[in-house]
Amino acid sequence: DFAWFADKRFHVMKGKVTLPESGKEITTWVLCTNKQAKLWKDAIPYVNTAISDLSKWIGSYPYNSFTAVQSTLNAGIGMEYPGITVIGYVDDGSALDKVIAHEACHSWFYGALGSDERRYPFMDEGITSAYETRYMTERYPDKKLWELFFTNPKLGKLFAETMPAERIHELQWLVTARNNEEQPLDLSATDYSSSNYGTMIYDKAGMGFNYLRAYLGDPLFDTVMHEYYRVWRFKHPQPDDLHQLFESQTGKNLDWFFVDFIGTTKRLDYRVVRRKGQQLLVKNSGELVSPVVISGIRHDSITFVKWEEGFKGEKWIDLPSLNFSEIKIDPLHQMTEIARLNNNVRRLGISPKAPPLY
């Protein structure tokens, strides 16, 4: 209900941002000390961009101002309150941009929508993490995973030269998943193990909502989230409310996501069996019956993208009459696939089903 910060060493910076839809002007503030001042001098643009982008994707920012405060912090890298966040030590400018965007996003889902992050953390931290990934992917499309761990580019590129930085969420989740330690995403915060709270709610739930967004497409997903925000602002929505609104707005049965993906630990694993002419035989070897995306690839470029509704067992899928040298399930890692070594088939070559490196 109330958050207050003070430090006699604070430098105070003030800015403003005009919301893209309503035209309302929001006052933005940054309070920082000399510690990491070289990073914090750019914080007003970070705040303004986050407020603007999130307003475009979700709906107009609900308050009159937003403040980012730098402080010695022991409870993680950042902590959110409606309209204000306190942030600790960060590694670099993009990390500061990332945590500001994440904490600002809470002003929608934890603040204005009032989701109970203790009882249903996926409705706040999970959705917020999805938007954090979307924000960082658009802001830093060329940032690679190795940059998070190595200062020596030559050494880093030996391990993961092409993996994007945001792939870290998938890799962290896979450690838990392949150790069979997953828990459902609709549990209370206190029901998770100390490690699973992060991997389930931040990583898997965040990936899940971006999976749903990829399946629906950005325009439809954004329309639904705008309506969710409009209808439930200041009213404390529950999981069923989110589920029903998504189905009413899309006209689709989304039980695969809101019942099975959120409420169980069913695995997702589609695999390519074989290709015959312009058809591809795909088998669902997992337990989750959810949409699958298939793409054609030529010279490292995607030539087509086709979403297929979820199915059990095997299914022949028609392929477009386009030029491709390889067919791959989910090349952009939009799905939460547990295994990817069975996801591709090449059109020509000695070993047409040779797996990709990752």
Side-chain angles (χ1 to χ4, degrees):
D1 292 327
F2 183 78
W4 183 77
F5 306 94
D7 194 318
K8 64 183 180 181
R9 301 167 298 173
F10 274 148
H11 301 292
V12 179
M13 293 180 282
K14 181 182 181 182
K16 62 181 179 180
V17 59
T18 301
L19 301 185
E21 293 181 346
S22 66
K24 180 180 178 180
E25 188 174 277
I26 304 299
T27 303
T28 51
W29 300 90
V30 166
L31 282 66
C32 63
T33 66
N34 288 336
K35 186 177 181 180
Q36 294 200 304
K38 290 183 179 180
L39 303 180
W40 278 84
K41 66 179 175 58
D42 298 320
I44 284 289
Y46 297 157
V47 172
N48 291 350
T49 303
I51 295 297
S52 178
D53 284 357
L54 293 167
S55 294
K56 178 178 65 178
W57 296 332
I58 306 166
S60 291
Y61 178 73
Y63 309 116
N64 293 323
S65 67
F66 184 83
T67 305
V69 182
Q70 181 203 42
S71 176
T72 301
L73 190 71
N74 294 320
I77 194 173
M79 185 62 210
E80 71 276 5
Y81 307 90
I84 192 169
T85 178
V86 58
I87 295 170
Y89 180 84
V90 293
D91 292 330
D92 55 28
S94 66
L96 179 58
D97 196 2
K98 180 175 184 174
V99 69
I100 285 175
H102 181 100
E103 307 306 340
C105 193
H106 281 297
S107 287
W108 278 263
F109 295 101
Y110 146 67
L113 287 166
S115 296
D116 183 351
E117 70 170 309
R118 297 296 287 172
R119 176 56 192 93
Y120 295 111
F122 81 88
M123 294 186 70
D124 175 33
E125 290 290 3
I127 299 176
T128 292
S129 295
Y131 278 103
E132 171 204 305
T133 296
R134 182 176 181 178
Y135 177 85
M136 292 300 290
T137 299
E138 291 203 7
R139 287 274 285 163
Y140 303 91
D142 298 324
K143 191 173 181 64
K144 303 304 180 185
L145 181 65
W146 63 264
E147 296 179 58
L148 304 180
F149 304 100
F150 298 93
T151 56
N152 185 326
K154 292 182 178 179
L155 181 62
K157 290 179 180 180
L158 288 175
F159 292 89
E161 180 177 5
T162 61
M163 285 190 188
E166 295 309 304
R167 192 70 53 81
I168 185 64
H169 301 293
E170 180 181 9
L171 297 179
Q172 290 173 160
W173 159 70
L174 281 172
V175 172
T176 299
R178 290 176 178 172
N179 286 331
N180 296 313
E181 296 175 348
E182 288 185 282
Q183 294 175 270
L185 298 177
D186 61 349
L187 302 182
S188 298
T190 52
D191 290 334
Y192 290 100
S193 65
S194 57
S195 61
N196 266 10
Y197 182 75
T199 55
M200 292 296 98
I201 298 304
Y202 290 78
D203 294 323
K204 187 181 180 182
M207 290 166 54
F209 277 98
N210 279 327
Y211 176 16
L212 179 62
R213 175 169 66 91
Y215 163 65
L216 295 176
D218 286 357
L220 181 54
F221 184 87
D222 291 347
T223 297
V224 176
M225 291 305 294
H226 272 71
E227 184 66 5
Y228 172 58
Y229 178 61
R230 184 190 70 80
V231 171
W232 286 103
R233 187 170 52 176
F234 308 126
K235 294 180 182 177
H236 299 286
Q238 301 301 302
D240 285 346
D241 300 319
L242 180 62
H243 183 178
Q244 291 171 13
L245 190 139
F246 258 89
E247 291 198 335
S248 67
Q249 292 294 305
T250 63
K252 295 179 179 291
N253 184 335
L254 297 175
D255 283 355
W256 67 266
F257 182 79
F258 289 100
V259 176
D260 289 340
F261 183 85
I262 296 293
T264 75
T265 58
K266 291 181 179 180
R267 300 294 184 86
L268 173 60
D269 183 21
Y270 285 99
R271 70 180 182 90
V272 172
V273 179
R274 66 179 181 275
R275 185 181 68 84
K276 183 179 180 180
Q278 291 300 118
Q279 287 191 314
L280 186 72
L281 183 60
V282 177
K283 181 177 181 179
N284 187 347
S285 298
E287 305 153 310
L288 187 65
V289 180
S290 62
V292 55
V293 61
I294 297 168
S295 295
I297 299 173
R298 181 173 176 80
H299 300 315
D300 296 325
S301 296
I302 294 176
T303 60
F304 73 83
V305 175
K306 181 173 184 178
W307 281 93
E308 193 77 16
E309 297 295 341
F311 57 87
K312 295 181 180 180
E314 295 184 344
K315 182 177 182 179
W316 283 101
I317 297 173
D318 293 329
L319 303 174
S321 299
L322 296 171
N323 196 1
F324 57 84
S325 57
E326 183 179 8
I327 298 293
K328 184 178 290 187
I329 294 174
D330 192 29
L332 299 180
H333 291 240
Q334 295 168 312
M335 300 163 56
T336 53
E337 279 270 290
I338 190 67
R340 294 185 176 274
L341 297 182
N342 53 18
N343 278 14
N344 73 313
V345 59
R346 296 189 178 96
R347 195 165 193 171
L348 300 171
I350 298 174
S351 182
K353 292 186 69 175
L357 293 178
Y358 61 90

